[in-house]
């Protein structure tokens, strides 16, 4: 799950950096912060599993100038945390080991991942992907043995550049101290952060800093009201902090001296795996909303392609295969049968006569014209190429119709541009494949003719009658052609033979076999065109187009990846299994 959260965060950040939609920017930025927090919380789970004894972490968080560093020094009973009147002075998490050695805290590098541990004296304000650890020698009456974290603010203009450090320190915390001042406690950013941290189920206290006399009760009541609006858990303990006039520093109330030590009893690292699961479930529907939208768009695209292919195949069947005047495939089989019916002794004589009679026509056809391959003049090929182009035109129109759907507008528009750019390549590949099919299908035509001839050999009387008809039909064709001066653009001398043979076969005992052969050839032709051209060329190329979409504008997370991650939320009720 950790790997998937990191992938999701990366995709959100990439899309956000290339988006111009302001409403998306706000929404996606919120989800990025959620993902950063969840990633850190999952890392804490790994740290707990790897460490035989989990070290206690207490984290101070708050807005600018709330006094976090000052309170860190107060709790530590030292001046280890650098205090500055400048906003955004602290830009990295600073950890202070109280009652712990630095060696015992070495495992934190695994938790912080790409964040590098740097010595406090070498840390730079220009670098945000780091943290520091420092050993304090003082003994605080307020703190148990722990690592106390001072963190950057989360509300300044520049905080977006270093807010990830805040999330990492906050997710690591076993106890959270929210530091607010009387000037800042009502800021929406404070309560947005409080809401974001609620699913982590960490024991929390609120330090109400920089109080003046007489305002304590009023501000605490206001804090309670805002807490009940922002969160559903119990209102936490409030620590009011008044400045001492002599020192100018806050004073920790005596009745709160043991508060943090008592809160340790409420921490429970054994429940962390369950908290992880609850946390992810809370945000999961929001995170995957745009991914589901992409998957829906892909499903819609597949349906559009399937519908377009079905329409094209139906049109091919209607306008060619089942058309009484256009489908000439079986007639070609009968032509091949004519060749097989040649009487050996007369074959050469008839062939020579045909060439002699039709020679003038062939010479006239050559004048001023370049001879074209048979396939180029095929009605079937022309229709197939037209159907392929029609499929792409229809799909382009439907893409524009889908472009106004939520989370899909950019997807459909980019996909429309992609289809336009690939259109000619698809049509060219289809045309080559169609020509290859047309040439290779001649073998199936010849096979059908051979089957018919083999069937005729079982009936010698019918075979001899057809051969006699073949000779008579040829003689009549030769006489007719001679009388007309040899003019016949498509070798009309064949037509009488085809008609005569077709009639004899239909009226013979082989009539049903003839019909079956024609249906078998037509079915085979239908299936070949459907699979080899419309499925293997048009459909496969169209369905592969989503792979060409830019990853800068789309999540491109597969349904398989998403389902594998979703399964981890249900497979183990007691916690998450890391992928």
């Amino acid at each position: 799950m950790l790997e998937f959260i990191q992938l999701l965060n990366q995709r959100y950040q990439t899309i956000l950096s290339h988006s111009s939609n302001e409403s998306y920017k706000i929404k996606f930025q919120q989800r990025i912060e959620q993902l950063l927090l969840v990633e850190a919380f999952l890392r804490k789970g790994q740290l707990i599993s790897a460490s035989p004894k989990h070290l206690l972490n207490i984290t101070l968080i708050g807005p600018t100038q709330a006094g976090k560093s000052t309170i860190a020094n107060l709790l530590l009973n030292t001046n280890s945390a650098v205090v500055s009147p400048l906003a955004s002075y602290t830009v990295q998490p600073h950890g202070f080991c109280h009652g712990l050695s630095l060696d015992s805290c070495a495992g934190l590098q695994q938790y912080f991942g790409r964040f590098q541990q740097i010595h406090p004296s070498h840390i730079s304000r220009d670098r945000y992907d780091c943290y520091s650890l420092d050993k304090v020698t003082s003994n605080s009456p307020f703190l148990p043995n722990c690592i106390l974290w001072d963190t950057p603010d989360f509300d300044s203009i520049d905080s977006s550049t270093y807010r990830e450090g805040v999330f990492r320190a906050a997710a690591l915390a076993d106890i959270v101290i929210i530091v607010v001042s009387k000037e800042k406690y009502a800021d929406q950013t404070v309560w947005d952060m409080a809401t974001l941290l609620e699913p982590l189920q960490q024991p929390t206290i609120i330090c109400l800093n920089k109080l003046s006399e007489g305002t304590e009760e009023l501000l605490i009541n206001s804090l309670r009201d805002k807490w009940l609006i922002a969160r559903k858990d119990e209102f936490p303990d409030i620590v009011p902090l008044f400045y001492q006039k002599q020192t100018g520093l806050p004073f920790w109330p005596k009745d709160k001296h043991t508060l943090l030590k008592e809160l340790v009893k409420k921490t429970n690292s054994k429940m962390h795996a369950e908290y992880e699961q609850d946390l992810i479930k809370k945000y999961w529907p929001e995170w995957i909303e745009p991914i589901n939208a992409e998957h829906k768009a892909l499903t819609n695209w597949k349906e559009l392609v399937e519908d377009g292919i079905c329409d094209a195949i139906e049109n091919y069947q209607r306008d060619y295969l089942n058309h009484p005047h256009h489908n000439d495939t079986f007639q070609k089989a009968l032509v091949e049968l004519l060749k097989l019916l040649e009487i050996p002794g007369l074959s050469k004589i008839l062939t020579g006569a045909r060439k002699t009679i039709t020679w003038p026509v062939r010479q006239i056809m050559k004048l001023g014209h370049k001879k074209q391959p048979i396939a180029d003049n095929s009605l079937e090929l022309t229709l197939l190429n037209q159907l392929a182009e029609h499929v792409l035109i229809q799909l382009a129109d439907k893409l524009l119709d889908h472009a106004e759907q939520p989370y899909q507008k950019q997807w459909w528009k980019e996909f429309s541009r992609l289809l336009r750019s690939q259109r000619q390549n698809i049509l060219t590949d289809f045309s080559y494949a169609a020509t290859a099919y047309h040439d290779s299908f001649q073998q199936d035509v010849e096979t059908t003719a051979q089957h018919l001839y083999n069937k005729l050999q079982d009936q010698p009387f019918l075979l001899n009658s057809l051969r006699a008809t073949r000779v008579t039909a040829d003689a009549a064709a030769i006489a007719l052609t001679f009388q007309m001066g040899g003019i016949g653009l498509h070798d009309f001398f064949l037509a009488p033979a085809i008609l005569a043979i077709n009639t004899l076969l239909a009226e013979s005992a082989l009539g049903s076999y003839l019909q079956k052969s024609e249906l078998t050839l037509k079915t085979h032709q239908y299936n070949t065109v459907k699979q080899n051209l419309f499925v293997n060329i048009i459909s496969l190329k169209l369905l592969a187009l989503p792979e060409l979409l830019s990853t800068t504008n789309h999540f491109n997370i597969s349904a398989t990846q998403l389902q594998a991650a979703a399964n981890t939320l249900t497979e183990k009720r007691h916690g998450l299994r890391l992928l």
Side-chain angles (χ1 to χ4, degrees), residues 246-311:
Q246 299 89 342
T247 62
L249 298 175
F251 175 77
W252 194 267
K254 290 184 179 181
D255 61 338
K256 305 294 184 181
H257 275 205
T258 61
L259 178 60
L260 289 171
K261 294 179 180 180
E262 292 172 357
L263 278 181
V264 175
K265 301 176 184 178
K266 294 186 177 182
T267 62
N268 187 356
S269 60
K270 295 180 180 179
M271 295 293 293
H272 189 85
E274 184 175 331
Y275 295 159
E276 287 179 357
Q277 198 169 27
D278 292 341
L279 176 63
I280 296 175
K281 283 182 177 180
K282 176 180 175 64
Y283 296 120
W284 188 259
E286 296 179 28
W287 292 345
I288 66 172
E289 184 181 12
I291 302 173
N292 283 336
E294 284 189 11
H295 292 171
K296 183 179 179 182
L298 284 172
T299 300
N300 290 343
W301 171 242
K302 290 177 182 178
E303 291 173 352
L304 290 177
V305 172
E306 289 174 1
D307 291 344
I309 295 300
C310 286
D311 289 343

Side-chain angles (χ1 to χ4, degrees), residues 255-373:
D255 61 338
K256 305 294 184 181
H257 275 205
T258 61
L259 178 60
L260 289 171
K261 294 179 180 180
E262 292 172 357
L263 278 181
V264 175
K265 301 176 184 178
K266 294 186 177 182
T267 62
N268 187 356
S269 60
K270 295 180 180 179
M271 295 293 293
H272 189 85
E274 184 175 331
Y275 295 159
E276 287 179 357
Q277 198 169 27
D278 292 341
L279 176 63
I280 296 175
K281 283 182 177 180
K282 176 180 175 64
Y283 296 120
W284 188 259
E286 296 179 28
W287 292 345
I288 66 172
E289 184 181 12
I291 302 173
N292 283 336
E294 284 189 11
H295 292 171
K296 183 179 179 182
L298 284 172
T299 300
N300 290 343
W301 171 242
K302 290 177 182 178
E303 291 173 352
L304 290 177
V305 172
E306 289 174 1
D307 291 344
I309 295 300
C310 286
D311 289 343
I313 289 295
E314 288 178 3
N315 290 336
Y316 170 73
Q317 195 170 28
R318 181 195 65 211
D319 296 339
Y320 181 74
L321 287 182
N322 295 336
H323 198 283
H325 304 301
H326 293 167
N327 186 6
D328 57 357
T329 306
F330 192 69
Q331 299 302 321
K332 292 177 182 178
L334 294 180
V335 170
E336 294 298 325
L337 181 61
L338 278 178
K339 297 177 182 178
L340 296 173
L341 289 173
E342 292 274 17
I343 299 175
L346 297 178
S347 175
K348 293 183 179 180
I349 298 174
L350 291 174
T351 301
R354 294 186 197 116
K355 289 182 178 180
T356 301
I357 296 301
T358 59
W359 181 84
V361 178
R362 293 200 303 272
Q363 297 305 310
I364 293 173
M365 293 293 292
K366 288 180 180 180
L367 295 177
H369 297 281
K370 183 180 179 181
K371 185 177 180 181
Q372 295 180 333

Side-chain angles (χ1 to χ4, degrees), residues 489-502:
L489 299 180
H490 300 288
D491 289 336
F492 283 139
F493 67 91
L494 292 175
I498 292 176
L499 180 61
I501 290 176
N502 202 4

Side-chain angles (χ1 to χ4, degrees), residues 509-525:
L510 293 179
S512 60
Y513 184 79
L514 182 71
Q515 294 177 354
K516 183 179 179 181
S517 298
E518 182 176 7
L519 179 60
T520 300
L521 183 63
K522 185 181 295 185
T523 302
H524 177 56
Q525 189 171 14

